[in-house]
Amino acid sequence: MTSENKQTGAEPDDSTAGESAGAPAGSAGTADREAQAGMTGEPDRHAETSDQEVAELVGRLTEPGEIDGAERRQLLGRLTAVLARGSRKAKESGVGRGRWLADVFTAVAPRIPIRDLATLSRHHHGLTSEALADDLVRTAAKATMTVGAIGGALAAAEFVTPPLLLSAPAQLVAETLVVAAIEVKLLAELHEVYGAHVEGTGAQRAMVFVGAWSKQRGVDPLSPATVSIALGAATKTALRNRLMRTLGRHLTTLGPFLTGAVAGGALNRAATRKLAAAVRADLRINRSLPPGKS
């Protein structure tokens, strides 16, 4: 997390975690260590390292400021490779794809860089109030559109080279995590703009905003029901469903040539704007803002 980050019933088996068939197979030694960790109750250090690497890569892809196309593609490529390994391990352990994806995202969420109001205004040329919120939405929509377009372009290249298509599922998971992180960041920072600050540590606040993102709604800091830091069964189910819907949206990037890039970018942008509109409507109920400096 950057220095600008202000410290932030039954579960259905979604599907099997059939991710990249091109992921490298693990060694027997790794499997033995994992089995031993499961029997002794000791943490899987390899899994912890993988989660940390995923969190760092997603964090870099959601940091303030522009990232050039080459660097973004490189970071997405690295993220895809890490997730391919993780998805294979999830499949081996019998964890459903949706459950695994939700687990990865909840590990990533506390590393999402969330800025306070003063930092937001400074980074957006002194904008305030509704004008600042408008600019945050434009920036986030552009970012998710770019992720979809880059992913679509990569998928288009793989479409005409069938052996490389084996990596596509992990690539889609990478896009899904980055888009979800950008939208959670947007949701959290809109709360800062509207004066609906959520108290707690970075990890606690992250869980509040992950829950809000899964329901596509704003948070009322004065209502205990909306600021729970624990993800209950219903919220976990909503999170898995939201992530799987986002993943399904990215399947459009598997179209031939550049149709995937166009569709992926457009759908991401529209979804981010829809989320922002719903959250801002909730926040305006008790916290309407003046137009602000534009």
Side-chain angles (χ1 to χ4, degrees):
M1 187 176 299
T2 66
S3 60
E4 294 158 356
N5 184 355
K6 184 177 179 182
Q7 292 297 323
T8 49
E11 298 178 2
D13 184 7
D14 310 87
S15 64
T16 57
E19 298 294 345
S20 173
S27 65
T30 300
D32 290 342
R33 286 194 300 273
E34 290 170 349
Q36 184 177 3
M39 290 186 293
T40 62
E42 295 176 355
D44 183 348
R45 297 188 184 281
H46 181 81
E48 290 176 355
T49 302
S50 177
D51 285 347
Q52 181 179 0
E53 188 174 0
V54 170
E56 289 175 353
L57 289 168
V58 173
R60 288 181 62 185
L61 284 161
T62 56
E63 285 179 351
E66 293 289 333
I67 301 178
D68 65 61
E71 182 180 4
R72 193 182 294 273
R73 282 191 293 272
Q74 182 184 45
L75 292 172
L76 279 171
R78 287 175 56 192
L79 181 58
T80 296
V82 176
L83 290 170
R85 294 194 297 269
S87 66
R88 178 182 56 78
K89 292 181 181 298
K91 181 179 180 181
E92 290 172 352
S93 65
V95 176
R97 180 188 295 180
R99 179 180 170 188
W100 169 73
L101 187 55
D103 287 344
V104 172
F105 189 59
T106 52
V108 166
R111 300 290 295 273
I112 298 172
I114 299 170
R115 296 164 290 180
D116 60 22
L117 181 57
T119 303
L120 286 168
S121 183
R122 185 169 68 251
H123 285 179
H124 289 264
H125 312 289
L127 295 178
T128 59
S129 300
E130 292 286 359
L132 175 56
D134 289 341
D135 209 43
L136 283 175
V137 174
R138 281 194 295 268
T139 301
K142 179 181 178 182
T144 58
M145 179 181 70
T146 300
V147 171
I150 289 177
L154 292 174
E158 291 172 350
F159 193 91
V160 295
T161 312
L164 296 181
L165 193 58
L166 295 175
S167 66
Q171 174 197 312
L172 299 186
V173 171
E175 292 176 36
T176 297
L177 287 176
V178 174
V179 167
I182 291 171
E183 291 186 344
V184 168
K185 175 182 172 69
L186 170 64
L187 187 152
E189 293 182 343
L190 285 174
H191 282 71
E192 291 293 314
V193 173
Y194 283 86
H197 179 74
V198 175
E199 298 294 339
T201 66
Q204 290 171 339
R205 296 179 69 218
M207 290 304 99
V208 171
F209 291 124
V210 165
W213 177 79
S214 68
K215 301 170 184 176
Q216 303 282 279
R217 301 305 300 262
V219 172
D220 181 358
L222 300 179
S223 172
T226 67
V227 293
S228 173
I229 62 175
L231 297 183
T235 303
K236 288 180 180 178
T237 299
L239 175 59
R240 287 200 304 274
N241 291 341
R242 177 61 54 189
L243 286 166
M244 292 302 288
R245 280 195 288 271
T246 305
L247 178 64
R249 190 169 76 226
H250 290 135
L251 289 173
T252 59
T253 65
L254 294 180
F257 305 109
L258 292 180
T259 57
V262 174
L267 289 174
N268 279 353
R269 179 177 59 187
T272 300
R273 288 177 171 174
K274 181 179 179 181
L275 167 67
V279 171
R280 292 175 76 177
D282 286 343
L283 293 173
R284 285 184 182 123
I285 292 176
N286 297 315
R287 302 173 184 272
S288 59
L289 298 176
K293 180 181 177 181
S294 60

